[in-house]
Amino acid sequence: MATRFHKKTKALQRSAGSPIGVFDSGLGGLTVVRELRRLLPSEEILYLGDLAHLPYGTKSTGEIRRRSAECARFLMKKKIKALVIACNSASSVAHKDLARILPVPVLDVITPAVEEALATTRNQRVGVIATYATIESRSYAKALEARSPEAQYFLKPCPLFVPLAEEGWLDGKIAEGAAEKYLAPIRRKQIDTLILGCTHYPLLKSAIAKVMGPKVRLVDSAIPTALRLKTLLQKKGLLSPRPRRAPLKIFVTDYVRNFARIGESFLGEKLKTVKLVKVP
Ligand code: DGL
């Protein structure tokens, strides 16, 4: 499949005016789009939410890789100039392959979060919370080890945070109860920095902060990923020359209950152009 993918996409022409492609298992990746829109308002963004196959975080590596390849193929057909894998689970297991195969720059969300965390920590003790798929892939562990042999890290899957965020239970008793149960062991490790290694977790920031206490800094990948993309486009002379704010087009493979409410809470603005598409 990889070779066919390569041949099909290699010949496409990209220019500074081409859009940026972003995909995620669902709507959580809109937290990354929110920062991209803030930092790069002239860039047209095509966002694909693979809602028909949500969640990725409990699926096998093979299945997440297959879905990621299909999402990338869909966006490549739309002549994107760069691809952002906004999903931590997909970034963890599919980034290397996609970066090798695709003829455009491919950004993951793990590296920017790790670099930000290492720049933030003072005591070199970093916690990482994420889905099962992300934790089991050891993507964060490997990225931390590669950049800082002295840093100690503590990993913890927090699967219930995803449905809580989707239900809009962002604070209050239930969110804080779940946070206390998941985070108490990691709090005991005396970390001073906690990576929110899942698209949905930034929405639960206040409950997480309450449980972790004021001394622990929370890091998520949205802002550092947007900064990284901006630097990369600048270097390659691919920044959009558009003088106005560019459109955001959202594609989804299925609709879910409370779609607009959830999407808008992640994106921080109204969902305008949303199109249902088939991505096999
Ligand atoms: N987007 C996923 C992630 O960041 C969370 C939701 C899912 O499990 O698909 O890992």
Side-chain angles (χ1 to χ4, degrees), residues 236-262:
K236 294 192 176 283
L238 280 175
L239 277 176
S240 167
R242 195 179 281 106
R244 307 170 304 282
R245 189 164 172 80
L248 161 66
K249 293 179 188 149
I250 300 177
F251 301 93
V252 292
T253 54
D254 196 6
Y255 285 113
V256 289
R257 261 171 216 91
N258 305 322
F259 173 86
R261 179 182 57 72
I262 299 169

Side-chain angles (χ1 to χ4, degrees), residues 120 122 187 190-194 205-219:
T120 304
R122 295 284 162 261
R187 190 178 52 215
Q190 298 184 334
I191 58 167
D192 70 352
T193 304
L194 179 65
K205 243 180 194 166
S206 74
I208 295 170
K210 204 163 176 183
V211 165
M212 293 308 295
K215 289 194 184 130
V216 176
R217 300 279 298 271
L218 305 183
V219 166

